[in-house]
Coordinates of all heavy atoms in Angstrom, one line a residue:
M22 N 5.6 20.5 -24.0 CA 5.5 20.4 -22.6 C 4.3 21.4 -22.1 O 4.4 21.8 -20.9 CB 6.8 21.0 -21.8 CG 7.8 19.9 -21.8 SD 8.6 20.1 -20.3 CE 10.2 19.6 -20.8
P23 N 3.3 21.6 -22.9 CA 2.3 22.5 -22.4 C 1.4 21.8 -21.2 O 0.8 22.6 -20.5 CB 1.3 22.6 -23.6 CG 1.7 21.5 -24.5 CD 3.1 21.2 -24.2
D24 N 1.5 20.6 -21.0 CA 0.8 19.9 -19.9 C 1.6 19.7 -18.7 O 1.2 19.2 -17.7 CB 0.3 18.5 -20.3 CG -0.8 18.6 -21.4 OD1 -1.5 19.6 -21.4 OD2 -0.9 17.6 -22.2
A25 N 2.8 20.2 -18.7 CA 3.7 20.2 -17.6 C 3.2 21.0 -16.4 O 2.8 22.1 -16.6 CB 5.2 20.6 -17.9
I26 N 3.2 20.4 -15.3 CA 2.6 21.1 -14.1 C 3.3 22.4 -13.8 O 2.6 23.4 -13.4 CB 2.6 20.1 -12.9 CG1 1.6 19.0 -13.1 CG2 2.4 20.8 -11.6 CD1 1.7 17.9 -12.0
E27 N 4.6 22.4 -13.9 CA 5.3 23.7 -13.5 C 5.0 24.9 -14.4 O 5.2 26.0 -14.1 CB 6.8 23.4 -13.5 CG 7.5 23.0 -14.8 CD 7.5 21.5 -15.0 OE1 6.8 20.7 -14.4 OE2 8.3 21.1 -15.8
Y28 N 4.4 24.6 -15.5 CA 4.0 25.7 -16.5 C 2.6 26.1 -16.4 O 2.1 27.1 -17.1 CB 4.4 25.3 -17.9 CG 5.8 25.1 -18.2 CD1 6.3 23.9 -18.6 CD2 6.7 26.1 -17.9 CE1 7.7 23.6 -18.7 CE2 8.1 26.0 -18.1 CZ 8.5 24.7 -18.5 OH 9.9 24.5 -18.6
M29 N 1.8 25.4 -15.6 CA 0.3 25.7 -15.4 C 0.2 27.0 -14.5 O 1.0 27.2 -13.6 CB -0.4 24.6 -14.8 CG -0.5 23.4 -15.6 SD -1.3 22.1 -14.7 CE -1.5 20.8 -16.1
P30 N -0.8 27.8 -14.8 CA -1.2 28.8 -13.8 C -1.4 28.3 -12.4 O -1.9 27.1 -12.3 CB -2.5 29.4 -14.4 CG -2.5 29.0 -15.8 CD -1.8 27.7 -15.8
Y31 N -1.2 29.0 -11.4 CA -1.3 28.5 -10.0 C -2.6 27.7 -9.7 O -2.5 26.7 -9.2 CB -1.1 29.7 -9.0 CG -1.2 29.2 -7.6 CD1 -0.1 28.6 -7.0 CD2 -2.3 29.3 -6.8 CE1 -0.1 28.1 -5.7 CE2 -2.5 28.9 -5.5 CZ -1.3 28.3 -4.9 OH -1.4 27.9 -3.7
D32 N -3.7 28.3 -10.0 CA -5.0 27.5 -9.7 C -5.1 26.3 -10.4 O -5.6 25.3 -9.9 CB -6.1 28.5 -9.9 CG -6.3 29.1 -11.3 OD1 -5.3 29.2 -12.0 OD2 -7.4 29.4 -11.7
K33 N -4.7 26.2 -11.7 CA -4.8 25.0 -12.5 C -3.8 24.0 -12.0 O -4.1 22.8 -11.9 CB -4.5 25.3 -14.0 CG -5.5 26.1 -14.5 CD -6.9 25.5 -14.7 CE -7.9 26.3 -15.4 NZ -9.3 25.7 -15.4
R34 N -2.6 24.5 -11.5 CA -1.6 23.6 -11.0 C -2.1 22.9 -9.6 O -2.0 21.6 -9.6 CB -0.3 24.4 -10.6 CG 0.8 23.6 -10.2 CD 2.0 24.4 -9.9 NE 2.2 25.4 -10.8 CZ 2.8 26.6 -10.5 NH1 3.2 26.8 -9.3 NH2 2.9 27.6 -11.4
I35 N -2.7 23.7 -8.7 CA -3.2 23.1 -7.5 C -4.4 22.1 -7.8 O -4.4 21.0 -7.3 CB -3.7 24.2 -6.6 CG1 -2.6 25.1 -6.2 CG2 -4.5 23.6 -5.4 CD1 -1.4 24.4 -5.5
E36 N -5.2 22.5 -8.9 CA -6.3 21.6 -9.2 C -5.8 20.2 -9.7 O -6.2 19.1 -9.4 CB -7.1 22.3 -10.3 CG -8.3 21.5 -10.8 CD -9.1 22.2 -11.8 OE1 -9.4 23.4 -11.6 OE2 -9.5 21.6 -12.8
R37 N -4.7 20.3 -10.6 CA -4.1 19.1 -11.1 C -3.4 18.2 -10.1 O -3.6 17.0 -10.1 CB -3.1 19.5 -12.2 CG -2.5 18.3 -12.9 CD -3.5 17.6 -13.8 NE -2.8 16.4 -14.4 CZ -3.4 15.2 -14.5 NH1 -4.6 14.9 -14.1 NH2 -2.6 14.2 -15.1
L38 N -2.7 18.9 -9.2 CA -2.0 18.2 -8.0 C -3.1 17.5 -7.2 O -2.8 16.3 -6.7 CB -1.2 19.1 -7.3 CG 0.1 19.6 -8.0 CD1 0.8 20.7 -7.2 CD2 1.0 18.5 -8.3
E39 N -4.2 18.1 -6.9 CA -5.3 17.5 -6.1 C -5.8 16.2 -6.9 O -6.0 15.2 -6.2 CB -6.5 18.5 -5.9 CG -6.2 19.5 -4.9 CD -6.2 18.9 -3.4 OE1 -6.8 17.8 -3.3 OE2 -5.5 19.6 -2.6
Q40 N -5.9 16.3 -8.2 CA -6.5 15.1 -9.0 C -5.4 14.0 -8.8 O -5.8 12.8 -8.6 CB -6.6 15.5 -10.4 CG -7.7 16.5 -10.7 CD -7.7 16.9 -12.1 OE1 -6.8 16.7 -12.9 NE2 -8.8 17.6 -12.5
I41 N -4.2 14.3 -9.0 CA -3.1 13.3 -8.9 C -3.0 12.7 -7.5 O -2.9 11.4 -7.3 CB -1.8 13.8 -9.4 CG1 -1.8 14.2 -10.9 CG2 -0.7 12.8 -9.2 CD1 -0.6 15.0 -11.4
T42 N -3.1 13.6 -6.5 CA -3.1 13.1 -5.1 C -4.3 12.2 -4.8 O -4.1 11.2 -4.1 CB -3.2 14.3 -4.1 OG1 -2.0 15.1 -4.4 CG2 -3.3 13.9 -2.7
E43 N -5.5 12.4 -5.3 CA -6.6 11.6 -5.1 C -6.3 10.2 -5.7 O -6.7 9.2 -5.1 CB -7.8 12.2 -5.7 CG -8.4 13.3 -4.9 CD -8.7 13.1 -3.4 OE1 -9.3 12.0 -3.2 OE2 -8.4 13.8 -2.6
R44 N -5.7 10.2 -6.9 CA -5.4 8.9 -7.5 C -4.4 8.2 -6.7 O -4.4 6.9 -6.6 CB -4.9 9.2 -8.9 CG -6.0 9.6 -9.8 CD -5.5 10.0 -11.2 NE -6.7 10.4 -12.0 CZ -6.6 10.9 -13.2 NH1 -5.4 11.1 -13.7 NH2 -7.6 11.2 -13.9
I45 N -3.4 8.9 -6.2 CA -2.3 8.2 -5.4 C -2.9 7.7 -4.2 O -2.6 6.4 -3.8 CB -1.2 9.3 -5.0 CG1 -0.4 9.6 -6.3 CG2 -0.3 8.8 -3.9 CD1 0.6 10.7 -6.1
V46 N -3.7 8.4 -3.4 CA -4.4 7.8 -2.2 C -5.3 6.7 -2.6 O -5.2 5.6 -1.9 CB -5.1 9.0 -1.5 CG1 -6.1 8.4 -0.4 CG2 -4.2 10.1 -1.0
E47 N -6.0 6.7 -3.6 CA -6.9 5.6 -4.0 C -6.1 4.4 -4.2 O -6.4 3.3 -3.7 CB -7.6 6.0 -5.3 CG -8.5 5.0 -5.9 CD -9.1 5.5 -7.2 OE1 -9.8 6.6 -7.2 OE2 -9.1 4.8 -8.1
L48 N -5.0 4.5 -5.0 CA -4.2 3.3 -5.3 C -3.5 2.8 -4.0 O -3.5 1.6 -3.8 CB -3.1 3.7 -6.3 CG -2.4 2.4 -6.9 CD1 -3.3 1.4 -7.5 CD2 -1.3 3.0 -7.9
L49 N -3.1 3.7 -3.2 CA -2.4 3.3 -2.0 C -3.3 2.5 -1.0 O -2.9 1.6 -0.4 CB -1.8 4.5 -1.3 CG -0.7 4.2 -0.2 CD1 0.4 3.3 -0.7 CD2 -0.1 5.5 0.3
K50 N -4.6 3.0 -1.0 CA -5.6 2.2 -0.2 C -5.7 0.8 -0.6 O -6.0 -0.1 0.3 CB -6.9 2.9 -0.3 CG -7.0 4.2 0.6 CD -8.3 4.9 0.4 CE -8.5 6.1 1.2 NZ -9.8 6.8 1.0
S51 N -5.6 0.5 -1.9 CA -5.7 -0.9 -2.4 C -4.6 -1.8 -1.9 O -4.8 -3.0 -1.9 CB -5.8 -0.9 -3.9 OG -4.6 -0.6 -4.4
Y52 N -3.5 -1.2 -1.5 CA -2.3 -2.0 -1.0 C -2.5 -2.6 0.4 O -2.0 -3.6 0.8 CB -1.1 -1.3 -1.1 CG -0.4 -1.2 -2.4 CD1 -0.8 -0.3 -3.4 CD2 0.6 -2.2 -2.8 CE1 -0.2 -0.3 -4.6 CE2 1.1 -2.2 -4.1 CZ 0.7 -1.2 -5.0 OH 1.2 -1.2 -6.2
N53 N -3.3 -1.8 1.3 CA -3.5 -2.2 2.7 C -2.2 -2.4 3.5 O -2.2 -3.1 4.5 CB -4.3 -3.5 2.8 CG -5.8 -3.3 2.3 OD1 -6.3 -2.2 2.5 ND2 -6.3 -4.2 1.6
A54 N -1.1 -1.9 3.0 CA 0.2 -2.0 3.7 C 1.2 -1.0 3.0 O 0.9 -0.7 1.8 CB 0.7 -3.4 3.6
P55 N 2.2 -0.7 3.7 CA 3.2 0.2 3.1 C 3.8 -0.6 1.8 O 3.9 -1.8 1.8 CB 4.3 0.3 4.2 CG 3.6 0.0 5.4 CD 2.6 -1.0 5.1
V56 N 4.2 0.3 0.9 CA 4.7 -0.3 -0.4 C 6.1 0.5 -0.7 O 6.2 1.7 -0.4 CB 3.7 -0.2 -1.5 CG1 3.3 1.3 -1.8 CG2 4.1 -0.8 -2.8
A57 N 7.0 -0.2 -1.4 CA 8.2 0.4 -1.7 C 8.0 1.6 -2.7 O 7.2 1.5 -3.6 CB 9.1 -0.6 -2.4
L58 N 8.7 2.6 -2.4 CA 8.5 3.9 -3.2 C 8.7 3.7 -4.7 O 7.8 4.1 -5.5 CB 9.6 5.0 -2.7 CG 9.6 6.3 -3.4 CD1 8.2 6.9 -3.3 CD2 10.6 7.2 -2.9
N59 N 9.8 3.1 -5.2 CA 9.9 2.9 -6.6 C 8.9 2.2 -7.2 O 8.4 2.4 -8.3 CB 11.3 2.3 -6.9 CG 12.5 3.4 -6.6 OD1 12.3 4.6 -6.8 ND2 13.6 2.9 -6.3
E60 N 8.5 1.0 -6.6 CA 7.4 0.2 -7.1 C 6.1 1.0 -7.2 O 5.4 0.9 -8.2 CB 7.2 -1.0 -6.2 CG 6.0 -1.8 -6.5 CD 5.8 -3.0 -5.4 OE1 6.8 -3.3 -4.8 OE2 4.6 -3.4 -5.3
F61 N 5.8 1.7 -6.1 CA 4.6 2.5 -6.1 C 4.6 3.6 -7.1 O 3.6 3.8 -7.8 CB 4.4 3.2 -4.8 CG 3.1 3.8 -4.5 CD1 1.9 3.1 -4.6 CD2 3.0 5.2 -4.5 CE1 0.7 3.7 -4.5 CE2 1.8 5.8 -4.3 CZ 0.6 5.1 -4.4
L62 N 5.7 4.3 -7.3 CA 5.7 5.4 -8.4 C 5.4 4.8 -9.8 O 4.7 5.4 -10.6 CB 7.1 6.0 -8.4 CG 7.4 7.0 -7.2 CD1 8.9 7.5 -7.2 CD2 6.5 8.1 -7.1
Q63 N 6.1 3.6 -10.1 CA 5.8 3.0 -11.3 C 4.4 2.5 -11.5 O 3.8 2.7 -12.6 CB 6.8 1.8 -11.5 CG 8.2 2.1 -11.7 CD 8.5 2.8 -13.0 OE1 7.8 2.5 -14.0 NE2 9.4 3.7 -13.0
K64 N 3.8 2.1 -10.4 CA 2.4 1.6 -10.5 C 1.5 2.8 -10.8 O 0.6 2.6 -11.5 CB 2.1 0.8 -9.1 CG 0.7 0.2 -9.2 CD 0.7 -1.0 -10.2 CE -0.6 -1.7 -10.1 NZ -0.7 -2.8 -11.0
V65 N 1.7 3.8 -10.1 CA 0.8 5.1 -10.3 C 0.9 5.4 -11.7 O 0.0 5.7 -12.4 CB 1.2 6.2 -9.3 CG1 0.4 7.5 -9.7 CG2 0.9 5.8 -7.8
A66 N 2.1 5.6 -12.3 CA 2.4 6.1 -13.6 C 1.7 5.1 -14.6 O 1.1 5.6 -15.6 CB 3.9 6.2 -13.9
Q67 N 1.9 3.8 -14.4 CA 1.3 2.9 -15.3 C -0.3 2.9 -15.3 O -0.9 2.8 -16.3 CB 1.8 1.5 -15.0 CG 3.2 1.3 -15.5 CD 3.7 0.0 -15.0 OE1 3.2 -0.7 -14.2 NE2 4.9 -0.4 -15.6
T68 N -0.8 2.8 -14.1 CA -2.2 2.7 -13.8 C -3.0 3.9 -14.4 O -4.0 3.8 -15.1 CB -2.5 2.5 -12.3 OG1 -1.8 1.4 -11.8 CG2 -4.0 2.3 -12.0
Y69 N -2.5 5.1 -14.1 CA -3.2 6.3 -14.6 C -2.6 6.9 -15.7 O -3.0 8.0 -16.1 CB -3.2 7.3 -13.4 CG -4.0 6.7 -12.2 CD1 -3.3 6.3 -11.0 CD2 -5.4 6.5 -12.2 CE1 -4.0 5.8 -10.0 CE2 -6.0 5.9 -11.3 CZ -5.4 5.5 -10.1 OH -6.1 5.0 -9.0
R70 N -1.6 6.3 -16.4 CA -1.0 6.8 -17.6 C -0.4 8.2 -17.4 O -0.8 9.1 -18.2 CB -1.9 6.6 -18.8 CG -2.3 5.1 -19.1 CD -3.2 5.0 -20.2 NE -2.3 5.4 -21.3 CZ -2.6 5.1 -22.6 NH1 -3.6 4.3 -22.8 NH2 -1.8 5.5 -23.5
L71 N 0.3 8.4 -16.4 CA 0.9 9.7 -16.1 C 2.4 9.7 -16.3 O 3.0 8.7 -16.2 CB 0.6 10.1 -14.6 CG -0.9 10.2 -14.2 CD1 -1.0 10.4 -12.7 CD2 -1.4 11.5 -14.9
A72 N 2.9 10.9 -16.7 CA 4.3 11.0 -16.8 C 4.9 10.9 -15.4 O 4.3 11.3 -14.4 CB 4.7 12.4 -17.4
M73 N 6.1 10.3 -15.3 CA 6.7 10.2 -13.9 C 6.9 11.5 -13.2 O 6.7 11.6 -12.0 CB 8.0 9.4 -14.1 CG 8.7 9.1 -12.8 SD 7.7 8.1 -11.7 CE 7.7 6.5 -12.6
S74 N 7.2 12.5 -14.0 CA 7.3 13.9 -13.3 C 6.0 14.3 -12.6 O 6.0 14.9 -11.5 CB 7.8 14.9 -14.3 OG 6.8 15.1 -15.4
Q75 N 4.9 14.0 -13.3 CA 3.6 14.4 -12.6 C 3.4 13.5 -11.4 O 2.8 14.0 -10.5 CB 2.5 14.2 -13.6 CG 2.5 15.3 -14.7 CD 1.2 15.4 -15.5 OE1 0.2 14.9 -15.1 NE2 1.3 16.2 -16.6
V76 N 3.7 12.2 -11.5 CA 3.5 11.4 -10.3 C 4.4 11.9 -9.1 O 3.9 11.9 -8.0 CB 3.9 9.9 -10.7 CG1 3.9 9.1 -9.4 CG2 3.0 9.4 -11.7
K77 N 5.6 12.3 -9.4 CA 6.5 12.8 -8.4 C 6.0 14.1 -7.8 O 5.9 14.3 -6.5 CB 7.9 12.9 -8.9 CG 8.6 11.6 -9.1 CD 10.0 11.8 -9.6 CE 10.6 10.4 -9.9 NZ 12.0 10.5 -10.5
Y78 N 5.5 15.0 -8.7 CA 4.9 16.2 -8.1 C 3.7 15.9 -7.3 O 3.5 16.5 -6.2 CB 4.4 17.1 -9.3 CG 5.6 18.0 -9.8 CD1 5.9 18.0 -11.1 CD2 6.2 19.0 -9.0 CE1 6.8 18.8 -11.7 CE2 7.2 19.8 -9.5 CZ 7.5 19.7 -10.9 OH 8.5 20.5 -11.4
G79 N 2.8 15.0 -7.7 CA 1.7 14.6 -7.0 C 2.0 14.0 -5.6 O 1.4 14.3 -4.6
L80 N 3.0 13.2 -5.6 CA 3.4 12.6 -4.3 C 4.0 13.6 -3.4 O 3.6 13.6 -2.2 CB 4.5 11.5 -4.6 CG 5.0 10.7 -3.4 CD1 3.8 9.9 -2.7 CD2 6.2 9.8 -3.7
T81 N 4.8 14.6 -3.9 CA 5.3 15.6 -3.0 C 4.1 16.4 -2.5 O 4.1 16.8 -1.3 CB 6.2 16.6 -3.9 OG1 7.3 15.8 -4.3 CG2 6.7 17.7 -3.0
Y82 N 3.1 16.7 -3.2 CA 1.9 17.5 -2.8 C 1.1 16.6 -1.8 O 0.7 17.2 -0.8 CB 1.0 17.8 -4.0 CG -0.1 18.7 -3.7 CD1 0.0 20.1 -3.5 CD2 -1.4 18.2 -3.5 CE1 -1.0 20.9 -3.2 CE2 -2.4 19.0 -3.2 CZ -2.3 20.3 -3.1 OH -3.3 21.1 -2.7
A83 N 1.0 15.3 -2.0 CA 0.3 14.4 -1.1 C 1.0 14.4 0.3 O 0.4 14.3 1.3 CB 0.1 13.1 -1.7
K84 N 2.4 14.3 0.2 CA 3.2 14.4 1.4 C 3.0 15.6 2.2 O 2.8 15.7 3.4 CB 4.6 14.1 1.1 CG 4.9 12.7 0.7 CD 6.4 12.3 0.5 CE 7.3 13.5 0.4 NZ 8.7 13.2 0.1
S85 N 3.0 16.8 1.5 CA 2.9 18.1 2.2 C 1.6 18.3 2.7 O 1.4 19.1 3.7 CB 3.2 19.2 1.1 OG 2.2 19.4 0.2
S86 N 0.5 17.6 2.3 CA -0.8 17.8 2.8 C -1.1 16.7 3.9 O -2.1 16.7 4.5 CB -1.9 17.7 1.7 OG -1.9 16.3 1.1
G87 N -0.1 15.8 4.1 CA -0.3 14.9 5.2 C -1.0 13.6 4.8 O -1.3 12.8 5.6
R88 N -1.5 13.5 3.6 CA -2.2 12.3 3.2 C -1.4 11.1 2.9 O -1.9 10.0 2.9 CB -3.1 12.7 1.9 CG -4.2 13.7 2.2 CD -4.9 14.1 1.0 NE -4.4 15.3 0.5 CZ -4.9 16.0 -0.5 NH1 -6.0 15.6 -1.1 NH2 -4.4 17.2 -0.8
V89 N -0.1 11.3 2.7 CA 0.8 10.2 2.4 C 2.1 10.5 3.0 O 2.5 11.7 3.3 CB 1.0 10.1 0.9 CG1 2.1 9.1 0.5 CG2 -0.2 9.7 0.1
T90 N 2.8 9.4 3.6 CA 4.1 9.6 4.1 C 5.1 8.7 3.4 O 4.6 7.6 3.0 CB 4.1 9.3 5.7 OG1 3.7 8.0 5.9 CG2 3.2 10.3 6.4
V91 N 6.3 9.1 3.5 CA 7.4 8.2 3.0 C 8.5 8.1 4.1 O 8.9 9.2 4.5 CB 8.1 8.7 1.7 CG1 9.1 7.8 1.2 CG2 7.0 8.9 0.6
D92 N 8.7 7.0 4.6 CA 9.7 6.8 5.7 C 11.1 6.7 5.3 O 11.3 6.7 4.1 CB 9.2 5.6 6.7 CG 9.4 4.3 6.0 OD1 10.1 4.1 5.0 OD2 8.7 3.4 6.5
A93 N 12.0 6.6 6.2 CA 13.4 6.5 5.9 C 13.8 5.3 5.1 O 14.8 5.3 4.4 CB 14.2 6.6 7.2
G94 N 12.9 4.2 5.1 CA 13.2 3.1 4.4 C 12.6 3.1 2.9 O 12.5 2.1 2.3
A95 N 12.1 4.2 2.6 CA 11.5 4.5 1.3 C 10.2 3.6 1.1 O 10.0 3.1 0.1 CB 12.5 4.2 0.1
M96 N 9.5 3.6 2.2 CA 8.2 2.9 2.1 C 7.0 4.0 2.2 O 7.0 4.9 3.0 CB 8.1 1.9 3.3 CG 9.1 0.8 3.3 SD 9.0 -0.2 1.9 CE 7.6 -1.2 2.2
V97 N 6.1 3.8 1.3 CA 5.0 4.8 1.1 C 3.8 4.2 1.9 O 3.5 3.1 1.8 CB 4.6 5.0 -0.3 CG1 3.5 6.0 -0.4 CG2 5.9 5.4 -1.2
R98 N 3.1 5.1 2.7 CA 1.9 4.7 3.4 C 1.0 5.8 3.5 O 1.4 7.0 3.3 CB 2.2 4.1 4.8 CG 2.9 5.0 5.7 CD 3.3 4.4 7.1 NE 3.8 3.1 7.0 CZ 5.0 2.8 7.2 NH1 5.9 3.8 7.3 NH2 5.4 1.5 7.2
L99 N -0.3 5.5 3.8 CA -1.2 6.6 4.0 C -0.9 7.3 5.2 O -0.4 6.8 6.3 CB -2.7 6.0 4.2 CG -3.3 5.4 2.9 CD1 -4.6 4.7 3.2 CD2 -3.5 6.4 1.8
G100 N -1.1 8.7 5.2 CA -0.9 9.6 6.3 C -2.1 9.6 7.2 O -3.1 8.9 7.0
A101 N -2.0 10.4 8.2 CA -3.1 10.5 9.2 C -4.2 11.4 8.7 O -5.3 11.4 9.2 CB -2.5 11.1 10.5
A102 N -4.0 12.3 7.7 CA -5.0 13.2 7.3 C -6.1 12.5 6.5 O -6.0 11.5 6.0 CB -4.4 14.3 6.3

């Protein structure tokens, strides 16, 4: 598990989360509409060959920065940021 985000030094962790967030935003832009959370998580993992745990960390980081939102119906969309 040396590549696990939770074990990285803080600065490397933030850098990795930024990379994953950029990929998430890039893929979400291609949908042009909200997409179901589970479908989107799978698509990100498959497209970028990432572990699901990294995708989830990336999505959480993207949500906290306002670049992505997930509504009560579990639909992912681009945020206002």
